[in-house]
Amino acid sequence: MDSSQGLMETYQAAVQGFRVPLYGWRICLAHEFQEKRKPFQLEHVSATNKLAHLPMGVRYLMWWLRKTYVEKKAPFIDMFNSVPLRQIYGAPLGGIGGGTITRSWRGEFCRWQLNPGLYHYKTVTENQFTVCVRRRGQTVYQQVLSTERPHTLQGWNWGYSGTQAYYHALYPRAWSVYYLPGQSITLTCRQVSPVIPHDYKDSSLPVAVFIWDVENSGSEDAEVSIMFTVRNGSGARSDGAGGHWNEPFQLRQDGESVSGVLLHHRTASNPFTLGVAVRGRAGVHSSHYTDFDPTGMGQDVWKDLLEDGRLDSPAGASSPTVKGQKTAAAVAAGCGVTPGGRGTLEFCLCWDMPRVRFGSGEKQYSRRYTRFYGSEGAAAPALCLYSLSHYEEWEQKIRAWQEPILQDSLLPSWYKSALFNELYFMADGGTIWVEVADDDSDDELLKMGEQPMPGMRSLLREYGRFAYLEGQEYRMYNTYDVHFYASFALIMLWPQLELSLQYDMAASVLLEDPERRKYLMSGSMAAVKSRNVVPHDIGDPDDKPWQKLNAYLIHDTADWKDLNLKFVLQVYRDYHMTKNSTYLKDMWSVCQAVMDTALRFDQDGDGLIENSGFADQTYDGWVMSGPSSYCGGLWLAAVCMMCRMADDLGDREAHSKFSSILIRGKQAFEKLLWNGKYYNYDCGEQSYYNSVMSDQCAGQWFLRACGLGHGQNEVFPSAHVLSALQTIYELNVKQFADGRMGAVNGMRPDGTVDTSSVQSDEVWIGVVYGLAATMIHEGLVEEGFKTAEGCYRTVWERLGMSFQTPEAYCEKETYRSLAYMRPLSIWAMQLALAEKAGALKASI
């Protein structure tokens, strides 16, 4: 890609992507910058308010005290120490499953997830880009490209004017544009990570590339150098543990060359190497500084660059640090730029942590990228070379994927931004992607699933094992009731990872925790797992994921009504989209087992399951009693899909069984829940039994996503579905916050918000995107976009929560659980649009 094309893409991204001026978030961010308005005040949901509604609040408190003060570990959900909102995050760096580093829209490196699933939010001051401009042999301008004014490295020139820069993001790419005051120089930094749909190799790489396009609009020649400084570490306590060291490197291969510095971080657990490199090009000079003290004034490296736009490092590697000592390194690249001319400088940052242990430290896993680069911890030079010589190919693939959507004039710009930028969670959701070994005798899931599911081993061996967190604050891998919503991103973009996840879930269904009865009898808070029940999650990254299931222990999820149903719905949805018959055959017996388990919740034999009057589904703070529109709808959709699967597999007995259930269940559902305008919340005796639930059509949503739910495969009368959606739009959307904040979970028939629980008055962004997809499926396209737009405008613009979309917010500036999985459901909207467009084409 030439420089002009890169600059043009920057301006296109400004129109259709996430955009923010570096002088502060409009309205939201005013501190330290030019605007003097009061920052928007946000409040995290009160822990005490939440606990007041939890029947297990006392047990949680006792467990929290033991976890925090005895075991000295962070709880999987810490209701007392929430992650603070920082309105600074930009597109994260890195591919899928190898760890991530977030670079803010202001330029800081400020959110770190190198150890899988575990975060810290430290801004590392010395991780910066600095520009040096020289004319006629003299340095005329040298500036750190950051608006910050830190208390360290006072020998550097800080405080770049935020009015002279902009940031744009269209994940997995981002652009930072700097207009150097008085220099007639414009810098555009293009940030690229290899997150590429249907790519199971490059998408796993722990790398990011920064391409600096330099434009000289002045009347005389200029030499422009960019220096990239990086600490050995991530701002964690281990940075001062001692034993870390840096060394320069060069690598040439197939006509390509890179040079830079390797920063070896030698911790006892999960050691890693950072690689920072420059691509060799004609007309580009590169240099490095192997070791400098990031805790001092920083004048040695600053003055070195200032002198001639190059770095002059002593030869050889640095000595290992002693305890308490920290070290950093720098690389620089420069080129001459004629009047009206352009130049390009290319940098790579990689992190090589090939083998990882989770918090328990018992078992070691090899990350996915080690299949291609080895697991010895020596891959950083090769990763840098490959990235710098292939990023243009990555960009071509990303453009080919994104352009049809970006160029669709019928789609609003906010939707295009949301669709791609919400994908940040695929990499930055604590994501881990590991290899599955043939000779792993401790792999209980693989052993459990191998006989009933013969296709499991070959798929996991080929594509690895995948997991991501429910949220950065809710530390549980593959939380299944939430993945139900988020899974559309996986099945549409990396379908083999969705199948891999499903195989692990299917195998876990067959497991039973031998300690379950003891835990339940004691009343303690402990993870439990029943046979033929889908687990809530596959574990805590600070414990034993894939080995110790159900990190969630606030409720016993064996009696949850939605988990088993959501498994069946996803199995058929995945088969519908992949046409993988082996997968369907493997899953059939598991689907039958979980449906037979769920059938016990139909206590009166009318073909419809009942809720139990306690938190027994994904709305675990909003109680359902008796038949409910949410769980009852999921149940009927799952029964319908069991009929379809039985038909496809020629299982006449199962088809007859589930057809009978479906007929009776449909009649009961309409009789008990339909009120003439919408489906009641539930059949309980609570005052909110007839509340309007925004998620009442979740079963219909999945049916339509699978090409069902209408015609001969109709489960819910189409007129009733349409009426329910229109009622939700009129009440939950338009009557809530003047129609500007999406759909509130619960609304009373009189147009007031349902405040009966801590979740009924929340907006769940992922639920809203699923609701919007349902509306689109049913022909309410305008209503669907207006509903979803409220969430985007609230999260990304009004509240400044870029790249940390929460699970929920309320009307009065209250939010919960930053950086959450469920909003990936926006890809269900894209599926609905694609299927609608396909149906239109087929009819022409």
Side-chain angles (χ1 to χ4, degrees):
M1 177 188 295
D2 61 26
S3 301
S4 60
Q5 186 176 2
L7 292 171
M8 181 61 68
E9 286 197 345
T10 301
Y11 302 129
Q12 290 174 347
V15 175
Q16 302 191 102
F18 165 70
R19 178 175 187 248
V20 62
L22 264 64
Y23 63 81
W25 221 285
R26 290 169 294 180
I27 302 177
C28 300
L29 289 183
H31 61 91
E32 303 179 357
F33 301 132
Q34 299 294 322
E35 294 188 41
K36 300 303 180 184
R37 307 176 202 168
K38 183 179 179 181
F40 199 97
Q41 297 298 313
L42 289 176
E43 174 190 4
H44 196 281
V45 170
S46 165
T48 55
N49 287 344
K50 285 291 179 187
L51 285 175
H53 291 272
L54 287 175
M56 297 182 68
V58 175
R59 278 186 281 170
Y60 172 84
L61 177 59
M62 298 301 295
W63 173 84
W64 181 89
L65 290 169
R66 186 182 75 245
K67 194 78 174 176
T68 304
Y69 293 106
V70 178
E71 298 179 20
K72 297 189 183 303
K73 286 192 173 185
F76 74 98
I77 297 178
D78 194 337
M79 295 184 182
F80 299 102
N81 298 291
S82 59
V83 174
L85 172 65
R86 301 176 69 197
Q87 297 161 314
I88 65 172
Y89 295 120
L93 307 171
I96 297 172
T100 49
I101 301 170
T102 297
R103 183 171 180 248
S104 85
W105 50 266
R106 300 185 305 193
E108 308 104 312
F109 292 74
C110 53
R111 183 169 66 191
W112 305 79
Q113 189 259 141
L114 299 183
N115 289 307
L118 303 179
Y119 288 81
H120 68 275
Y121 300 85
K122 175 74 173 179
T123 295
V124 179
T125 303
E126 58 271 26
N127 287 14
Q128 300 287 347
F129 287 101
T130 295
V131 62
C132 174
V133 180
R134 294 174 56 80
R135 291 190 174 93
R136 297 188 298 275
Q138 299 292 324
T139 298
V140 296
Y141 181 86
Q142 187 159 300
Q143 173 72 53
V144 181
L145 295 172
S146 170
T147 60
E148 296 299 286
R149 297 179 182 274
H151 298 296
T152 57
L153 296 171
Q154 290 293 298
W156 295 10
N157 185 23
W158 296 93
Y160 183 82
S161 173
T163 60
Q164 301 296 312
Y166 282 86
Y167 177 89
H168 320 290
L170 206 58
Y171 187 78
R173 297 181 294 169
W175 297 259
S176 300
V177 183
Y178 303 87
Y179 305 99
L180 304 187
Q183 302 304 313
S184 300
I185 299 288
T186 300
L187 304 176
T188 301
C189 177
R190 197 162 77 252
Q191 170 187 311
V192 182
S193 294
V195 178
I196 304 165
H198 306 286
D199 182 312
Y200 298 92
K201 176 180 178 288
D202 289 3
S203 290
S204 71
L205 302 183
V207 300
V209 177
F210 304 93
I211 307 97
W212 288 84
D213 291 319
V214 184
E215 183 177 6
N216 182 3
S217 59
S219 58
E220 60 178 317
D221 292 347
E223 181 184 318
V224 178
S225 297
I226 299 292
M227 177 174 70
F228 188 12
T229 49
V230 179
R231 178 192 288 193
N232 188 326
S234 59
R237 187 176 302 176
S238 66
D239 292 1
H244 312 315
W245 56 288
N246 309 332
E247 64 171 330
F249 78 94
Q250 289 186 326
L251 183 62
R252 291 182 174 84
Q253 185 176 313
D254 300 328
E256 291 282 351
S257 66
V258 295
S259 60
V261 180
L262 304 177
L263 297 87
H264 302 290
H265 198 75
R266 289 298 175 254
T267 54
S269 176
N270 300 344
F272 63 92
T273 295
L274 293 170
V276 54
V278 174
R279 186 181 189 181
R281 290 277 203 177
V284 172
H285 60 78
S286 61
S287 54
H288 70 274
Y289 205 100
T290 305
D291 175 34
F292 72 89
D293 180 6
T295 63
M297 294 290 287
Q299 289 187 324
D300 45 357
V301 68
W302 183 265
K303 288 182 177 180
D304 191 5
L305 183 70
L306 187 70
E307 183 177 349
D308 58 3
R310 291 168 167 81
L311 299 174
D312 185 16
S313 182
S318 68
S319 300
T321 58
V322 298
K323 188 173 183 179
Q325 180 187 7
K326 298 174 184 177
T327 180
V331 298
C335 62
V337 190
T338 59
R342 293 187 174 93
T344 301
L345 306 171
E346 300 150 299
F347 294 81
C348 179
L349 175 66
C350 76
W351 45 101
D352 182 21
M353 184 189 285
R355 291 180 287 189
V356 295
R357 297 182 188 273
F358 292 105
S360 68
E362 294 181 13
K363 186 173 182 178
Q364 190 174 65
Y365 295 85
S366 294
R367 295 192 194 258
R368 167 70 174 182
Y369 76 89
T370 61
R371 169 176 291 214
F372 316 107
Y373 287 90
S375 57
E376 301 306 313
L383 284 169
C384 288
L385 179 69
Y386 183 84
S387 300
L388 286 168
S389 58
H390 284 80
Y391 77 84
E392 292 160 308
E393 178 184 330
W394 297 344
E395 288 190 298
Q396 290 172 2
K397 292 178 179 178
I398 293 169
R399 281 199 303 273
W401 160 44
Q402 293 185 340
E403 274 310 295
I405 295 171
L406 297 178
Q407 297 303 320
D408 189 336
S409 60
L410 298 178
L411 299 178
S413 293
W414 70 261
Y415 170 75
K416 299 169 185 177
S417 176
L419 185 69
F420 294 114
N421 285 327
E422 290 291 6
L423 277 176
Y424 82 95
F425 198 82
M426 285 301 307
D428 200 25
T431 313
I432 183 71
W433 185 3
V434 297
E435 290 287 90
V436 173
D438 265 334
D439 57 351
D440 189 347
S441 59
D442 296 327
D443 196 332
E444 292 297 327
L445 289 182
L446 197 56
K447 287 191 292 185
M448 184 64 66
E450 192 165 21
Q451 184 173 354
M453 296 179 289
M456 180 178 180
R457 178 177 289 275
S458 60
L459 189 134
L460 264 63
R461 282 285 297 133
E462 177 63 25
Y463 295 103
R465 179 169 271 150
F466 173 86
Y468 60 157
L469 296 178
E470 178 177 338
Q472 291 181 9
E473 290 193 75
Y474 289 9
R475 203 182 60 234
M476 296 161 281
Y477 271 136
N478 293 350
T479 299
Y480 202 70
D481 57 304
V482 182
H483 173 69
F484 171 75
Y485 296 83
S487 62
F488 282 88
L490 265 185
I491 193 60
M492 293 176 69
L493 303 175
W494 294 276
Q496 301 303 329
L497 294 185
E498 165 67 8
L499 300 190
S500 170
L501 186 157
Q502 286 284 85
Y503 269 116
D504 273 340
M505 278 294 169
S508 70
V509 165
L510 306 176
L511 290 172
E512 179 166 20
D513 189 338
E515 300 293 304
R516 170 180 166 73
R517 183 173 297 276
K518 182 180 73 174
Y519 292 146
L520 295 181
M521 293 295 290
S522 69
S524 67
M525 291 187 68
V528 293
K529 171 67 181 68
S530 298
R531 184 174 174 82
N532 293 339
V533 172
V534 174
H536 175 273
D537 59 81
I538 57 96
D540 179 349
D542 205 22
D543 199 350
K544 306 175 186 176
W546 295 300
Q547 296 177 283
K548 187 176 180 180
L549 309 179
N550 279 348
Y552 180 90
L553 38 70
I554 294 176
H555 302 288
D556 179 8
T557 59
D559 288 326
W560 275 26
K561 307 304 181 290
D562 59 341
L563 291 170
N564 287 8
L565 313 180
K566 288 173 174 177
F567 177 79
V568 173
L569 293 171
Q570 288 186 73
V571 164
Y572 188 77
R573 190 273 318 271
D574 297 346
Y575 167 66
H576 171 72
M577 296 189 67
T578 64
K579 309 304 180 188
N580 187 328
S581 58
T582 298
Y583 168 76
L584 182 63
K585 293 173 184 177
D586 284 350
M587 294 291 164
W588 179 233
S589 62
V590 183
C591 286
Q592 290 176 294
V594 299
M595 286 297 283
D596 284 344
T597 299
L599 188 58
R600 64 189 169 97
F601 300 125
D602 177 12
Q603 297 179 355
D604 56 8
D606 65 352
L608 190 63
I609 65 170
E610 292 89 37
N611 290 90
S612 304
F614 65 89
D616 61 357
Q617 30 67 43
T618 194
Y619 294 89
D620 56 354
W622 193 8
V623 171
M624 296 175 185
S625 300
S628 67
S629 57
Y630 181 69
C631 291
L634 294 175
W635 164 255
L636 292 180
V639 172
C640 174
M641 292 186 185
M642 290 296 289
C643 294
R644 289 302 303 263
M645 286 189 278
D647 191 44
D648 289 347
L649 294 169
D651 191 332
R652 294 182 179 180
E653 182 179 350
H655 187 275
S656 176
K657 170 185 174 180
F658 287 104
S659 294
S660 175
I661 294 173
L662 185 60
I663 292 171
R664 290 181 284 116
K666 287 163 62 175
Q667 293 173 347
F669 189 81
E670 297 299 321
K671 177 183 177 180
L672 296 171
L673 292 162
W674 179 250
N675 66 18
K677 291 186 64 178
Y678 60 91
Y679 293 101
N680 286 338
Y681 178 73
D682 67 7
C683 295
E685 297 179 355
Q686 309 97 322
S687 60
Y688 57 86
Y689 80 94
N690 62 344
S691 285
V692 184
M693 186 188 196
S694 65
D695 212 4
Q696 64 184 267
C697 295
Q700 176 70 3
W701 167 35
F702 254 72
L703 287 169
R704 292 304 299 265
C706 300
L708 306 174
H710 58 92
Q712 293 182 341
N713 296 298
E714 182 179 88
V715 175
F716 311 98
S718 58
H720 290 187
V721 171
L722 196 61
S723 176
L725 293 174
Q726 289 170 334
T727 301
I728 293 168
Y729 183 67
E730 291 298 323
L731 291 179
N732 300 57
V733 179
K734 293 175 67 175
Q735 293 295 314
F736 175 72
D738 298 323
R740 298 181 298 107
M741 297 182 73
V744 67
N745 280 342
M747 184 68 82
R748 300 296 298 140
D750 63 1
T752 59
V753 175
D754 182 343
T755 57
S756 63
S757 80
V758 294
Q759 293 176 341
S760 57
D761 67 346
E762 292 182 327
V763 176
W764 287 11
I765 296 92
V767 167
V768 173
Y769 290 148
L771 168 62
T774 312
M775 290 176 170
I776 293 169
H777 279 301
E778 300 300 331
L780 302 176
V781 179
E782 182 179 355
E783 291 87 344
F785 275 116
K786 286 185 180 296
T787 297
E789 181 178 2
C791 285
Y792 176 82
R793 301 291 186 193
T794 299
V795 170
W796 289 81
E797 295 181 351
R798 182 166 172 249
L799 303 185
M801 294 176 165
S802 62
F803 300 101
Q804 54 186 327
T805 303
E807 157 73 322
Y809 58 76
C810 295
E811 183 177 3
K812 300 301 182 182
E813 293 84 56
T814 304
Y815 69 92
R816 180 168 60 82
S817 187
L818 289 172
Y820 200 76
M821 176 199 292
R822 204 179 322 244
L824 285 169
S825 62
I826 193 171
W827 279 87
M829 291 180 65
Q830 187 59 26
L831 177 63
L833 290 168
E835 292 197 348
K836 193 171 185 64
L840 180 63
K841 290 178 181 178
S843 66
I844 297 176

